[in-house]
């Protein structure tokens, strides 16, 4: 056991504990409304507006390929008009939130870790502390808040694009009847699917911001340390999103069944 | 008053400080000298709570800051200003935003008042007219001046300088020394300067501490230290390497 504690297991558990402490500090700071609105608006711009191209391409092409693949299978059993219903449910509750989060983790998580990591190695974080500013208040809270606001909005955009592009592919490329295609999509895609997707994207926004901030604030010295922190922020937040997705799916579907 | 009692710190298995004791009275200008990598900056960071000791105590105005958490330390740090070795300016901000940062965070000053105080602080460090420049556009000496302006704008009682003249040419070093003296006399602050520049130490300090072998080896007025006949003190002041340590 002692051996395990000294290897990556101990390191991993220590990291989890530190992220938990940082999350607690961030939530406590949020409750006291210490956030600087100018920083929050900039972060929403950086995470939301600057991620547009990534989200547009991800949403549109995921919807298109899912429509085509579903159609090829459903066509065998003459269920062509159910194609967009599958795309709708998948985009709302799974693919929309998860793929958007993974793409944003790659772009935003890396940028957060690199920026904060560079601040750490150039003593800017120590300078913040000497200026009586808590690094969590100034660096983590605006990013956490912005990511949890921006990611659900980006996810809605991705879902709309996925379903829209799927409709275009289904109707104009694959020749499916547009009325039944749209009717079935509305019939089988419920509000609850969208709500599940939004809850997930809110959680993923938190994961991306917290892992990025933690990796930046704990990065090693020098350019190598910043490089490693950046890579780890993307890898760990992506893994955390995929693992969390499984458990969130089970829990949220269970809650949905109880509510319906 | 800052007092350090039996301070011990190690990183991993490497001991850096092993029982450091020192006392700096209010209004004093203390200089901590010692070899590179000897733990001077580590000691300085303990004075403001940026590092937590493994053992020992740090008292600021009689208040033990050793076991305070980060939020409790924020109140203590309002008494301090610190100038970092690399200036540690926020590179995404202009000079004006950097200097104004502490006042903006306090949220109790009007924009006009902040502007006036930024101009005054930049005037004190002889950098008027640089408000709109980014740190990357400044020389090393200018960056340290901006760092000093940022540290004095909220008029702290203690000013800590981490190697203020390292990496600067002798003329710029001299101007930084003069600035430290001017700020000390103008704001009546207690200064703690970490340096291995003997000329600077002699000029800015009225008390000198020599950190050697992880402890304060000698302390006293500059004239006492600089005229000391102790072999270790003389070796450091005269800058003589041991034959064993000479790199051939």
């Amino acid at each position: 056991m002692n051996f395990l504690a000294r290897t990556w297991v101990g390191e991993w558990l220590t990291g989890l504990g530190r992220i938990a402490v940082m999350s607690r500090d961030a939530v406590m700071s949020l409750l006291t409304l210490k956030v600087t609105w100018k920083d929050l608006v900039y972060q929403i711009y950086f995470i939301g507006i600057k991620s547009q191209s990534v989200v547009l391409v991800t949403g549109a092409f995921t919807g298109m390929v899912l429509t085509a693949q579903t159609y090829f299978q459903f066509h065998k059993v003459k269920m062509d008009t159910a194609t967009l219903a599958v795309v709708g449910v998948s985009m709302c509750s799974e693919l929309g939130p998860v793929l958007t989060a993974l793409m944003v983790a790659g772009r935003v998580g890396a940028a957060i870790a690199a920026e904060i990591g560079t601040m750490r190695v150039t003593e800017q974080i120590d300078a913040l502390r000497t200026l009586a500013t808590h690094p969590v208040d100034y660096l983590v809270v605006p990013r956490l808040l912005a990511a949890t606001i921006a990611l659900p909005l980006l996810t809605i955009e991705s879902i709309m694009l996925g379903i829209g592009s799927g409709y275009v592919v289904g109707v104009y490329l694959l020749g499916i009847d547009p009325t039944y295609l749209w009717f079935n999509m509305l019939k089988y895609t419920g509000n609850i699917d969208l709500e599940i997707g939004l809850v997930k994207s809110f959680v993923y926004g938190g994961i991306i911001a917290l892992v990025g901030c933690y990796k930046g604030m704990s990065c090693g010295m020098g350019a190598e340390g910043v490089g490693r922190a950046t890579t780890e922020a993307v890898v760990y937040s992506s893994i955390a999103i995929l693992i969390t997705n499984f458990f969130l799916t089970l829990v949220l579907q269970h809650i949905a069944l109880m509510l319906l | 008053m800052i007092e350090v009692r039996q301070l011990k710190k190690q990183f991993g298995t490497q001991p850096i400080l092993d029982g450091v004791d020192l006392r700096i009275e209010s209004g004093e200008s203390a200089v901590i000298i010692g070899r590179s990598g000897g733990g001077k900056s580590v000691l300085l960071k303990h004075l403001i709570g940026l590092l937590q000791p493994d053992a020992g105590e740090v008292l600021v105005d009689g208040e033990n800051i050793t076991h305070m958490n980060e939020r409790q330390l924020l109140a203590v740090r309002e008494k301090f200003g610190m100038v970092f070795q690399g200036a540690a300016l926020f590179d995404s901000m202009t000079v004006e935003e950097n200097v104004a940062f502490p006042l903006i965070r306090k949220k109790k000053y009007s924009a006009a008042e902040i502007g006036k105080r930024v101009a005054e602080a930049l005037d004190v460090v002889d950098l008027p007219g640089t408000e709109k420049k980014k740190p990357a556009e400044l020389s090393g000496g200018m960056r340290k001046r901006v760092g000093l302006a940022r540290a004095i704008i909220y008029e702290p009682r203690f000013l800590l300088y981490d190697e203020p003249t390292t990496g600067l040419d002798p003329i710029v070093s001299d101007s930084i020394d003069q600035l430290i003296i001017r700020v000390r006399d103008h704001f009546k602050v207690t200064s703690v300067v970490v340096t291995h520049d003997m000329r600077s130490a002699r000029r800015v300090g009225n008390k000198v501490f020599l950190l050697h072998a992880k402890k304060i080896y000698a302390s006293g007025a500059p004239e006492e230290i600089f005229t000391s006949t102790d072999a270790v003190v003389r070796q450091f002041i005269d800058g003589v390497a041991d034959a064993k340590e000479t790199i051939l």
Side-chain angles (χ1 to χ4, degrees):
Chain A
M1 290 307 281
N2 207 13
F3 166 75
L4 273 180
R6 269 187 263 118
T7 58
W8 64 271
V9 178
E11 204 175 293
W12 191 72
L13 287 172
T14 307
L16 272 182
R18 285 182 180 153
I19 289 185
V21 171
M22 195 179 76
S23 310
R24 184 206 61 189
D25 277 349
V27 171
M28 297 306 283
S29 175
L30 262 175
L31 293 177
T32 53
L33 295 174
K34 281 182 181 158
V35 64
T36 310
W37 299 107
K38 189 181 154 199
D39 296 337
L40 175 64
V41 170
Y42 174 74
Q43 290 301 329
I44 290 176
Y45 164 78
F46 177 71
I47 298 171
I49 308 291
K50 293 279 211 172
S51 299
Q52 287 298 307
S53 53
V54 170
V55 171
L56 290 178
V57 172
T58 308
F61 281 88
T62 304
M64 285 156 75
V65 77
L66 185 62
T67 303
Q69 197 59 258
T70 308
Y71 169 80
F72 295 138
Q73 306 310 315
F74 278 16
H75 186 64
K76 295 173 190 167
V77 289
K78 307 288 182 222
M79 283 178 63
D80 302 7
T81 56
T83 300
L84 206 58
V86 173
V87 174
V89 173
S90 306
M91 284 303 296
C92 285
S93 60
E94 293 295 338
L95 293 176
V98 172
L99 291 180
T100 304
L102 289 177
M103 297 308 284
V104 173
R107 204 192 78 77
V108 174
I112 289 174
E115 186 183 358
I116 296 180
T118 306
M119 286 184 76
R120 178 174 149 80
V121 300
T122 55
E123 292 187 309
Q124 290 178 54
I125 291 183
D126 279 346
L128 272 179
R129 296 166 71 199
T130 64
L131 296 168
T133 300
H134 200 301
V136 169
D137 296 346
Y138 185 70
L139 297 173
V140 180
V141 170
R143 286 166 176 80
L144 177 63
L145 204 53
T148 50
I149 291 170
L151 216 71
L153 295 173
L154 290 171
T155 301
I156 290 174
E157 189 182 349
S158 172
I159 291 168
M160 284 167 55
L161 271 160
I163 294 174
S165 61
Y167 177 84
V168 171
V169 168
V171 173
Y172 297 104
L173 201 69
L174 305 172
I176 307 170
D177 183 277
T179 310
Y180 282 112
L181 189 69
W182 193 250
F183 175 79
N184 282 334
M185 192 278 287
L186 291 178
K187 186 178 176 185
Y188 292 106
T189 310
N191 286 345
I192 195 75
D193 296 311
L194 184 62
E195 285 155 12
I196 287 173
L198 291 181
V199 170
K200 283 182 172 182
S201 62
F202 176 82
V203 174
Y204 301 154
I207 289 173
I208 293 166
L210 287 172
V211 173
C213 290
Y214 171 70
K215 280 292 162 191
M217 288 172 80
S218 62
C219 93
M221 287 297 121
E224 189 190 359
V226 176
R228 186 173 296 163
T230 308
T231 309
E232 287 180 356
V234 177
V235 172
Y236 291 163
S237 54
S238 301
I239 289 171
I241 286 165
L242 292 172
I243 293 172
T244 310
N245 184 47
F246 171 70
F247 293 104
L248 273 179
T249 300
L250 292 184
V251 172
L252 294 173
Q253 289 293 350
H254 187 70
I255 293 171
L257 282 174
M258 285 198 302
L259 291 175
L260 291 174
Chain B
M1 185 265 289
I2 301 173
E3 192 175 356
V4 175
R5 293 178 187 160
Q6 281 300 301
L7 189 82
K8 292 183 182 180
K9 182 72 178 176
Q10 64 179 52
F11 292 123
T13 55
Q14 175 79 27
I16 306 294
L17 303 172
D18 188 16
V20 169
D21 287 294
L22 64 83
R23 186 183 169 97
I24 299 162
E25 299 296 340
S26 292
E28 261 184 351
S29 184
V31 176
I32 301 171
I33 57 175
R35 298 188 57 176
S36 295
K40 303 186 295 297
S41 297
V42 171
L43 174 58
L44 194 73
K45 286 181 177 179
H46 277 92
L47 304 185
I48 192 170
L50 289 177
L51 290 173
Q52 297 284 341
D54 297 331
E57 292 176 338
V58 177
L59 289 92
V60 176
D61 290 337
E63 189 179 15
N64 189 345
I65 66 164
T66 317
H67 301 294
M68 287 185 177
N69 64 34
E70 189 71 18
R71 293 222 180 263
Q72 291 170 323
L73 281 168
L74 295 182
V76 176
R77 289 185 190 136
E78 288 186 359
K79 298 177 186 174
F80 284 87
M82 183 162 175
V83 180
F84 286 83
Q85 192 172 347
L89 300 179
F90 305 125
D91 46 21
S92 59
M93 299 180 190
T94 61
V95 166
E96 184 179 31
E97 289 165 339
N98 263 286
V99 178
F101 185 86
L103 301 184
I104 293 170
R105 293 294 296 175
K106 283 184 191 289
K107 294 180 180 168
K108 60 178 185 184
Y109 299 98
S110 67
E113 194 175 348
I114 290 173
K116 182 169 162 277
R117 287 182 66 171
V118 168
E120 282 171 5
L122 288 174
D123 202 41
V124 170
V125 299
D126 295 330
L127 280 177
T130 53
E131 285 90 340
K132 301 299 171 201
K133 290 192 171 176
K134 286 284 186 96
E137 298 172 66
L138 305 176
S139 66
M142 289 166 89
R143 276 203 287 271
K144 289 201 177 172
R145 284 163 185 266
V146 175
L148 180 55
R150 185 176 66 181
I152 60 174
I153 195 165
Y154 52 98
E155 297 177 5
R157 290 186 38 231
F158 303 100
L159 261 177
L160 312 182
Y161 300 85
D162 189 4
E163 310 261 12
T165 56
T166 298
L168 303 177
D169 68 59
I171 296 165
V172 178
S173 297
D174 184 60
S175 71
I176 295 285
D177 287 345
Q178 287 180 23
L179 195 54
I180 293 171
I181 294 165
R182 197 195 313 163
V183 166
R184 180 192 72 196
D185 297 341
H186 183 79
F187 294 99
K188 309 284 180 223
V189 291
T190 307
S191 307
V192 185
V193 183
V194 155
T195 186
H196 45 60
D197 177 346
M198 288 304 99
R199 197 176 77 149
S200 177
R202 198 188 289 255
R203 292 186 62 180
V204 302
N206 52 32
K207 189 165 187 181
V208 177
F209 296 90
L210 171 63
L211 187 65
H212 174 74
K214 306 170 186 68
K215 287 181 166 59
I216 296 295
Y217 181 83
S219 66
E223 53 274 21
E224 283 176 51
I225 296 292
F226 287 98
T227 55
S228 170
T229 52
D230 182 277
V232 172
V233 178
R234 280 263 55 92
Q235 184 198 11
F236 186 77
I237 289 167
D238 298 336
V240 181
D242 277 345
K244 280 184 288 183
E245 295 176 53
T246 306
I247 299 165
L248 297 172

